[in-house]
Amino acid sequence: MSERDDSPGIEFRSDVTVEMVRSSASDSDVLFAARVSTQGEQTLTAAAEGTEATARDRGLINYLMRDRHGSPFEHNSMTFYVQAPIFVFREFMRHRIASYNEESGRYRELRPVFYVPAPERNLLQVGKPGAYEFLPGTPEQVSLVDETTRTASIAAFEAYQRMLEAGVAREVARIVLPLNIYSSMYVTMNARSLMNFLSLRTKREGTHFPSFPQREIEMCAEQMENAWRELMPLTYAAFNANGRVAP
């Protein structure tokens, strides 16, 4: 969801953008890598031809996932383009299992696009870390979050503009901008890394190790998961069947 504010050029969004821009990933990649340990060069022809995995290969992939033989899941690559508020990227980069390149506020003037939580976004944290849940806020709290976020964002961007107009360097002027300003980046990872990311950044019933992600990074993770499951359906099914634990 995106909308313009009364202030010229200011835009507020309540969503994130995730696009798969390049991939070399299939279930067959897992199988070639696993079978080379017993078949050696006999796997070369099938690997070179890019032979697709069949339903008969499901058992091997499930075995690898269940017994956590993880390295065969690394011989693939997916590159995503992500637009999200900066505080989401800071959580992304806690995962040192991917390659990142983000737009720079030193080299370009940042666009006035800011995140504001949608009305349905839960606002109340109940319980203690590790055993808590988020619940909807009151209408008054929803209104307070929306109004305060918009006001602070507008004031911060106006301060940023004043410094730029006065000739202050972009790398200095940007220090007044809030964490809810949008940025963009490319992130590249393999399926094993992505499964680790999804296990921590999505909340699902029946997982072996429950997670409590912030909703905004979960929104990114959900879109990445949707793209991945189309590429590697057997691996995806095994991941879910085994409690969504990265091998």
Side-chain angles (χ1 to χ4, degrees), residues 122-152:
N122 289 340
L123 299 179
L124 304 182
Q125 179 179 324
V126 179
K128 58 184 180 180
Y132 58 84
E133 59 180 332
F134 282 92
L135 301 176
T138 66
E140 293 76 17
Q141 289 170 325
V142 171
S143 178
L144 175 64
V145 169
D146 185 87
E147 179 181 351
T148 304
T149 301
R150 291 171 185 267
T151 299

PDB file of all heavy atoms in Angstrom, residues 122-152:
ATOM      1  N   ASN A 122      -0.154  -5.465  14.254  1.00  0.00           N
ATOM      2  CA  ASN A 122      -0.246  -5.568  15.709  1.00  0.00           C
ATOM      3  C   ASN A 122       0.738  -4.622  16.382  1.00  0.00           C
ATOM      4  O   ASN A 122       1.875  -4.464  15.930  1.00  0.00           O
ATOM      5  CB  ASN A 122       0.029  -7.001  16.155  1.00  0.00           C
ATOM      6  CG  ASN A 122      -1.093  -7.956  15.783  1.00  0.00           C
ATOM      7  OD1 ASN A 122      -2.221  -7.535  15.538  1.00  0.00           O
ATOM      8  ND2 ASN A 122      -0.786  -9.236  15.733  1.00  0.00           N
ATOM      9  N   LEU A 123       0.308  -4.037  17.503  1.00  0.00           N
ATOM     10  CA  LEU A 123       1.112  -3.012  18.169  1.00  0.00           C
ATOM     11  C   LEU A 123       1.507  -3.366  19.600  1.00  0.00           C
ATOM     12  O   LEU A 123       2.434  -2.765  20.149  1.00  0.00           O
ATOM     13  CB  LEU A 123       0.353  -1.678  18.196  1.00  0.00           C
ATOM     14  CG  LEU A 123      -0.001  -1.057  16.842  1.00  0.00           C
ATOM     15  CD1 LEU A 123      -0.778   0.237  17.065  1.00  0.00           C
ATOM     16  CD2 LEU A 123       1.246  -0.800  16.012  1.00  0.00           C
ATOM     17  N   LEU A 124       0.825  -4.306  20.231  1.00  0.00           N
ATOM     18  CA  LEU A 124       1.051  -4.594  21.645  1.00  0.00           C
ATOM     19  C   LEU A 124       1.856  -5.876  21.829  1.00  0.00           C
ATOM     20  O   LEU A 124       1.507  -6.918  21.284  1.00  0.00           O
ATOM     21  CB  LEU A 124      -0.279  -4.727  22.380  1.00  0.00           C
ATOM     22  CG  LEU A 124      -1.241  -3.540  22.287  1.00  0.00           C
ATOM     23  CD1 LEU A 124      -2.493  -3.807  23.116  1.00  0.00           C
ATOM     24  CD2 LEU A 124      -0.549  -2.262  22.749  1.00  0.00           C
ATOM     25  N   GLN A 125       2.944  -5.787  22.589  1.00  0.00           N
ATOM     26  CA  GLN A 125       3.748  -6.962  22.925  1.00  0.00           C
ATOM     27  C   GLN A 125       3.334  -7.447  24.304  1.00  0.00           C
ATOM     28  O   GLN A 125       3.442  -6.726  25.288  1.00  0.00           O
ATOM     29  CB  GLN A 125       5.237  -6.624  22.901  1.00  0.00           C
ATOM     30  CG  GLN A 125       6.124  -7.816  23.264  1.00  0.00           C
ATOM     31  CD  GLN A 125       7.608  -7.470  23.205  1.00  0.00           C
ATOM     32  OE1 GLN A 125       8.031  -6.694  22.356  1.00  0.00           O
ATOM     33  NE2 GLN A 125       8.378  -8.032  24.126  1.00  0.00           N
ATOM     34  N   VAL A 126       2.880  -8.693  24.369  1.00  0.00           N
ATOM     35  CA  VAL A 126       2.398  -9.279  25.615  1.00  0.00           C
ATOM     36  C   VAL A 126       3.282 -10.479  25.960  1.00  0.00           C
ATOM     37  O   VAL A 126       3.481 -11.374  25.146  1.00  0.00           O
ATOM     38  CB  VAL A 126       0.925  -9.723  25.483  1.00  0.00           C
ATOM     39  CG1 VAL A 126       0.452 -10.361  26.786  1.00  0.00           C
ATOM     40  CG2 VAL A 126       0.049  -8.545  25.100  1.00  0.00           C
ATOM     41  N   GLY A 127       3.807 -10.505  27.167  1.00  0.00           N
ATOM     42  CA  GLY A 127       4.696 -11.577  27.577  1.00  0.00           C
ATOM     43  C   GLY A 127       6.134 -11.100  27.612  1.00  0.00           C
ATOM     44  O   GLY A 127       6.424  -9.917  27.486  1.00  0.00           O
ATOM     45  N   LYS A 128       7.054 -12.046  27.764  1.00  0.00           N
ATOM     46  CA  LYS A 128       8.464 -11.710  27.856  1.00  0.00           C
ATOM     47  C   LYS A 128       9.214 -12.278  26.643  1.00  0.00           C
ATOM     48  O   LYS A 128       8.716 -13.185  25.973  1.00  0.00           O
ATOM     49  CB  LYS A 128       9.064 -12.269  29.144  1.00  0.00           C
ATOM     50  CG  LYS A 128       8.925 -13.778  29.300  1.00  0.00           C
ATOM     51  CD  LYS A 128       9.456 -14.230  30.647  1.00  0.00           C
ATOM     52  CE  LYS A 128       9.301 -15.743  30.795  1.00  0.00           C
ATOM     53  NZ  LYS A 128       9.813 -16.218  32.098  1.00  0.00           N
ATOM     54  N   PRO A 129      10.405 -11.746  26.345  1.00  0.00           N
ATOM     55  CA  PRO A 129      11.157 -12.245  25.188  1.00  0.00           C
ATOM     56  C   PRO A 129      11.316 -13.759  25.225  1.00  0.00           C
ATOM     57  O   PRO A 129      11.643 -14.343  26.249  1.00  0.00           O
ATOM     58  CB  PRO A 129      12.507 -11.543  25.333  1.00  0.00           C
ATOM     59  CG  PRO A 129      12.173 -10.260  26.028  1.00  0.00           C
ATOM     60  CD  PRO A 129      11.080 -10.620  27.013  1.00  0.00           C
ATOM     61  N   GLY A 130      11.051 -14.380  24.080  1.00  0.00           N
ATOM     62  CA  GLY A 130      11.126 -15.824  23.987  1.00  0.00           C
ATOM     63  C   GLY A 130       9.798 -16.514  24.237  1.00  0.00           C
ATOM     64  O   GLY A 130       9.643 -17.696  23.935  1.00  0.00           O
ATOM     65  N   ALA A 131       8.846 -15.800  24.785  1.00  0.00           N
ATOM     66  CA  ALA A 131       7.524 -16.375  25.061  1.00  0.00           C
ATOM     67  C   ALA A 131       6.483 -15.268  25.067  1.00  0.00           C
ATOM     68  O   ALA A 131       5.846 -14.994  26.075  1.00  0.00           O
ATOM     69  CB  ALA A 131       7.532 -17.118  26.390  1.00  0.00           C
ATOM     70  N   TYR A 132       6.346 -14.598  23.938  1.00  0.00           N
ATOM     71  CA  TYR A 132       5.411 -13.489  23.872  1.00  0.00           C
ATOM     72  C   TYR A 132       4.642 -13.517  22.558  1.00  0.00           C
ATOM     73  O   TYR A 132       4.961 -14.280  21.646  1.00  0.00           O
ATOM     74  CB  TYR A 132       6.129 -12.154  24.036  1.00  0.00           C
ATOM     75  CG  TYR A 132       7.221 -11.885  23.026  1.00  0.00           C
ATOM     76  CD1 TYR A 132       6.930 -11.359  21.778  1.00  0.00           C
ATOM     77  CD2 TYR A 132       8.559 -12.136  23.335  1.00  0.00           C
ATOM     78  CE1 TYR A 132       7.933 -11.111  20.852  1.00  0.00           C
ATOM     79  CE2 TYR A 132       9.560 -11.895  22.417  1.00  0.00           C
ATOM     80  CZ  TYR A 132       9.250 -11.375  21.178  1.00  0.00           C
ATOM     81  OH  TYR A 132      10.231 -11.127  20.263  1.00  0.00           O
ATOM     82  N   GLU A 133       3.628 -12.694  22.485  1.00  0.00           N
ATOM     83  CA  GLU A 133       2.847 -12.559  21.267  1.00  0.00           C
ATOM     84  C   GLU A 133       2.499 -11.093  21.064  1.00  0.00           C
ATOM     85  O   GLU A 133       2.587 -10.284  21.991  1.00  0.00           O
ATOM     86  CB  GLU A 133       1.572 -13.397  21.347  1.00  0.00           C
ATOM     87  CG  GLU A 133       0.663 -13.021  22.500  1.00  0.00           C
ATOM     88  CD  GLU A 133      -0.587 -13.881  22.556  1.00  0.00           C
ATOM     89  OE1 GLU A 133      -1.012 -14.352  21.480  1.00  0.00           O
ATOM     90  OE2 GLU A 133      -1.133 -14.073  23.651  1.00  0.00           O
ATOM     91  N   PHE A 134       2.131 -10.759  19.847  1.00  0.00           N
ATOM     92  CA  PHE A 134       1.726  -9.402  19.527  1.00  0.00           C
ATOM     93  C   PHE A 134       0.236  -9.373  19.278  1.00  0.00           C
ATOM     94  O   PHE A 134      -0.316 -10.251  18.606  1.00  0.00           O
ATOM     95  CB  PHE A 134       2.484  -8.889  18.303  1.00  0.00           C
ATOM     96  CG  PHE A 134       3.888  -8.469  18.612  1.00  0.00           C
ATOM     97  CD1 PHE A 134       4.943  -9.361  18.484  1.00  0.00           C
ATOM     98  CD2 PHE A 134       4.157  -7.181  19.058  1.00  0.00           C
ATOM     99  CE1 PHE A 134       6.233  -8.986  18.779  1.00  0.00           C
ATOM    100  CE2 PHE A 134       5.449  -6.792  19.358  1.00  0.00           C
ATOM    101  CZ  PHE A 134       6.490  -7.692  19.219  1.00  0.00           C
ATOM    102  N   LEU A 135      -0.402  -8.352  19.813  1.00  0.00           N
ATOM    103  CA  LEU A 135      -1.853  -8.218  19.713  1.00  0.00           C
ATOM    104  C   LEU A 135      -2.206  -6.869  19.101  1.00  0.00           C
ATOM    105  O   LEU A 135      -1.406  -5.937  19.113  1.00  0.00           O
ATOM    106  CB  LEU A 135      -2.478  -8.325  21.110  1.00  0.00           C
ATOM    107  CG  LEU A 135      -2.200  -9.625  21.875  1.00  0.00           C
ATOM    108  CD1 LEU A 135      -2.795  -9.542  23.279  1.00  0.00           C
ATOM    109  CD2 LEU A 135      -2.753 -10.828  21.119  1.00  0.00           C
ATOM    110  N   PRO A 136      -3.413  -6.748  18.545  1.00  0.00           N
ATOM    111  CA  PRO A 136      -3.818  -5.473  17.940  1.00  0.00           C
ATOM    112  C   PRO A 136      -3.828  -4.338  18.962  1.00  0.00           C
ATOM    113  O   PRO A 136      -4.097  -4.547  20.150  1.00  0.00           O
ATOM    114  CB  PRO A 136      -5.243  -5.769  17.432  1.00  0.00           C
ATOM    115  CG  PRO A 136      -5.292  -7.252  17.273  1.00  0.00           C
ATOM    116  CD  PRO A 136      -4.431  -7.806  18.365  1.00  0.00           C
ATOM    117  N   GLY A 137      -3.522  -3.137  18.482  1.00  0.00           N
ATOM    118  CA  GLY A 137      -3.605  -1.963  19.328  1.00  0.00           C
ATOM    119  C   GLY A 137      -5.027  -1.414  19.352  1.00  0.00           C
ATOM    120  O   GLY A 137      -5.891  -1.828  18.580  1.00  0.00           O
ATOM    121  N   THR A 138      -5.259  -0.482  20.245  1.00  0.00           N
ATOM    122  CA  THR A 138      -6.556   0.195  20.287  1.00  0.00           C
ATOM    123  C   THR A 138      -6.637   1.187  19.132  1.00  0.00           C
ATOM    124  O   THR A 138      -5.604   1.561  18.538  1.00  0.00           O
ATOM    125  CB  THR A 138      -6.710   0.948  21.610  1.00  0.00           C
ATOM    126  OG1 THR A 138      -5.730   2.008  21.652  1.00  0.00           O
ATOM    127  CG2 THR A 138      -6.519   0.018  22.808  1.00  0.00           C
ATOM    128  N   PRO A 139      -7.829   1.631  18.774  1.00  0.00           N
ATOM    129  CA  PRO A 139      -7.938   2.662  17.735  1.00  0.00           C
ATOM    130  C   PRO A 139      -7.102   3.896  18.057  1.00  0.00           C
ATOM    131  O   PRO A 139      -6.514   4.508  17.157  1.00  0.00           O
ATOM    132  CB  PRO A 139      -9.431   2.975  17.707  1.00  0.00           C
ATOM    133  CG  PRO A 139     -10.085   1.709  18.153  1.00  0.00           C
ATOM    134  CD  PRO A 139      -9.157   1.150  19.201  1.00  0.00           C
ATOM    135  N   GLU A 140      -7.018   4.249  19.316  1.00  0.00           N
ATOM    136  CA  GLU A 140      -6.234   5.414  19.720  1.00  0.00           C
ATOM    137  C   GLU A 140      -4.742   5.171  19.489  1.00  0.00           C
ATOM    138  O   GLU A 140      -4.009   6.065  19.041  1.00  0.00           O
ATOM    139  CB  GLU A 140      -6.495   5.749  21.195  1.00  0.00           C
ATOM    140  CG  GLU A 140      -7.899   6.234  21.508  1.00  0.00           C
ATOM    141  CD  GLU A 140      -8.938   5.129  21.523  1.00  0.00           C
ATOM    142  OE1 GLU A 140      -8.532   3.927  21.622  1.00  0.00           O
ATOM    143  OE2 GLU A 140     -10.141   5.434  21.418  1.00  0.00           O
ATOM    144  N   GLN A 141      -4.278   3.971  19.786  1.00  0.00           N
ATOM    145  CA  GLN A 141      -2.867   3.648  19.563  1.00  0.00           C
ATOM    146  C   GLN A 141      -2.538   3.606  18.074  1.00  0.00           C
ATOM    147  O   GLN A 141      -1.481   4.072  17.651  1.00  0.00           O
ATOM    148  CB  GLN A 141      -2.530   2.315  20.231  1.00  0.00           C
ATOM    149  CG  GLN A 141      -2.506   2.383  21.745  1.00  0.00           C
ATOM    150  CD  GLN A 141      -2.403   1.019  22.396  1.00  0.00           C
ATOM    151  OE1 GLN A 141      -2.964   0.042  21.889  1.00  0.00           O
ATOM    152  NE2 GLN A 141      -1.696   0.948  23.512  1.00  0.00           N
ATOM    153  N   VAL A 142      -3.430   3.043  17.282  1.00  0.00           N
ATOM    154  CA  VAL A 142      -3.227   3.005  15.826  1.00  0.00           C
ATOM    155  C   VAL A 142      -3.105   4.420  15.278  1.00  0.00           C
ATOM    156  O   VAL A 142      -2.216   4.736  14.487  1.00  0.00           O
ATOM    157  CB  VAL A 142      -4.378   2.245  15.137  1.00  0.00           C
ATOM    158  CG1 VAL A 142      -4.287   2.403  13.614  1.00  0.00           C
ATOM    159  CG2 VAL A 142      -4.357   0.774  15.520  1.00  0.00           C
ATOM    160  N   SER A 143      -3.983   5.291  15.740  1.00  0.00           N
ATOM    161  CA  SER A 143      -3.969   6.680  15.284  1.00  0.00           C
ATOM    162  C   SER A 143      -2.695   7.392  15.735  1.00  0.00           C
ATOM    163  O   SER A 143      -2.085   8.148  14.967  1.00  0.00           O
ATOM    164  CB  SER A 143      -5.199   7.412  15.827  1.00  0.00           C
ATOM    165  OG  SER A 143      -5.189   8.763  15.441  1.00  0.00           O
ATOM    166  N   LEU A 144      -2.266   7.129  16.979  1.00  0.00           N
ATOM    167  CA  LEU A 144      -1.056   7.755  17.506  1.00  0.00           C
ATOM    168  C   LEU A 144       0.172   7.338  16.694  1.00  0.00           C
ATOM    169  O   LEU A 144       1.003   8.185  16.332  1.00  0.00           O
ATOM    170  CB  LEU A 144      -0.868   7.372  18.973  1.00  0.00           C
ATOM    171  CG  LEU A 144       0.429   7.856  19.634  1.00  0.00           C
ATOM    172  CD1 LEU A 144       0.477   9.376  19.695  1.00  0.00           C
ATOM    173  CD2 LEU A 144       0.577   7.244  21.023  1.00  0.00           C
ATOM    174  N   VAL A 145       0.307   6.045  16.426  1.00  0.00           N
ATOM    175  CA  VAL A 145       1.449   5.548  15.657  1.00  0.00           C
ATOM    176  C   VAL A 145       1.467   6.166  14.267  1.00  0.00           C
ATOM    177  O   VAL A 145       2.504   6.624  13.780  1.00  0.00           O
ATOM    178  CB  VAL A 145       1.421   4.006  15.580  1.00  0.00           C
ATOM    179  CG1 VAL A 145       2.448   3.499  14.565  1.00  0.00           C
ATOM    180  CG2 VAL A 145       1.692   3.398  16.941  1.00  0.00           C
ATOM    181  N   ASP A 146       0.317   6.197  13.614  1.00  0.00           N
ATOM    182  CA  ASP A 146       0.237   6.729  12.256  1.00  0.00           C
ATOM    183  C   ASP A 146       0.584   8.215  12.229  1.00  0.00           C
ATOM    184  O   ASP A 146       1.440   8.658  11.449  1.00  0.00           O
ATOM    185  CB  ASP A 146      -1.174   6.509  11.700  1.00  0.00           C
ATOM    186  CG  ASP A 146      -1.292   6.937  10.254  1.00  0.00           C
ATOM    187  OD1 ASP A 146      -1.012   6.132   9.355  1.00  0.00           O
ATOM    188  OD2 ASP A 146      -1.673   8.111  10.006  1.00  0.00           O
ATOM    189  N   GLU A 147      -0.036   8.985  13.081  1.00  0.00           N
ATOM    190  CA  GLU A 147       0.174  10.435  13.077  1.00  0.00           C
ATOM    191  C   GLU A 147       1.602  10.802  13.473  1.00  0.00           C
ATOM    192  O   GLU A 147       2.249  11.649  12.828  1.00  0.00           O
ATOM    193  CB  GLU A 147      -0.820  11.101  14.034  1.00  0.00           C
ATOM    194  CG  GLU A 147      -0.662  12.613  14.109  1.00  0.00           C
ATOM    195  CD  GLU A 147      -1.641  13.250  15.090  1.00  0.00           C
ATOM    196  OE1 GLU A 147      -2.550  12.548  15.571  1.00  0.00           O
ATOM    197  OE2 GLU A 147      -1.468  14.445  15.391  1.00  0.00           O
ATOM    198  N   THR A 148       2.116  10.158  14.522  1.00  0.00           N
ATOM    199  CA  THR A 148       3.455  10.476  14.997  1.00  0.00           C
ATOM    200  C   THR A 148       4.516  10.091  13.971  1.00  0.00           C
ATOM    201  O   THR A 148       5.483  10.836  13.740  1.00  0.00           O
ATOM    202  CB  THR A 148       3.729   9.750  16.328  1.00  0.00           C
ATOM    203  OG1 THR A 148       2.722  10.108  17.277  1.00  0.00           O
ATOM    204  CG2 THR A 148       5.093  10.114  16.881  1.00  0.00           C
ATOM    205  N   THR A 149       4.349   8.941  13.346  1.00  0.00           N
ATOM    206  CA  THR A 149       5.306   8.491  12.329  1.00  0.00           C
ATOM    207  C   THR A 149       5.338   9.447  11.149  1.00  0.00           C
ATOM    208  O   THR A 149       6.418   9.826  10.654  1.00  0.00           O
ATOM    209  CB  THR A 149       4.950   7.075  11.855  1.00  0.00           C
ATOM    210  OG1 THR A 149       4.967   6.175  12.963  1.00  0.00           O
ATOM    211  CG2 THR A 149       5.939   6.588  10.796  1.00  0.00           C
ATOM    212  N   ARG A 150       4.185   9.864  10.679  1.00  0.00           N
ATOM    213  CA  ARG A 150       4.128  10.778   9.540  1.00  0.00           C
ATOM    214  C   ARG A 150       4.747  12.141   9.886  1.00  0.00           C
ATOM    215  O   ARG A 150       5.534  12.696   9.103  1.00  0.00           O
ATOM    216  CB  ARG A 150       2.676  10.958   9.087  1.00  0.00           C
ATOM    217  CG  ARG A 150       2.076   9.710   8.447  1.00  0.00           C
ATOM    218  CD  ARG A 150       0.570   9.873   8.209  1.00  0.00           C
ATOM    219  NE  ARG A 150      -0.019   8.653   7.707  1.00  0.00           N
ATOM    220  CZ  ARG A 150      -0.181   8.354   6.406  1.00  0.00           C
ATOM    221  NH1 ARG A 150       0.201   9.240   5.485  1.00  0.00           N
ATOM    222  NH2 ARG A 150      -0.726   7.218   6.026  1.00  0.00           N
ATOM    223  N   THR A 151       4.410  12.644  11.051  1.00  0.00           N
ATOM    224  CA  THR A 151       4.921  13.950  11.454  1.00  0.00           C
ATOM    225  C   THR A 151       6.439  13.942  11.581  1.00  0.00           C
ATOM    226  O   THR A 151       7.141  14.833  11.083  1.00  0.00           O
ATOM    227  CB  THR A 151       4.280  14.376  12.783  1.00  0.00           C
ATOM    228  OG1 THR A 151       2.859  14.465  12.615  1.00  0.00           O
ATOM    229  CG2 THR A 151       4.816  15.721  13.238  1.00  0.00           C
ATOM    230  N   ALA A 152       6.965  12.913  12.243  1.00  0.00           N
ATOM    231  CA  ALA A 152       8.415  12.820  12.436  1.00  0.00           C
ATOM    232  C   ALA A 152       9.141  12.635  11.098  1.00  0.00           C
ATOM    233  O   ALA A 152      10.217  13.206  10.879  1.00  0.00           O
ATOM    234  CB  ALA A 152       8.737  11.664  13.383  1.00  0.00           C
TER     235      ALA A 152
END
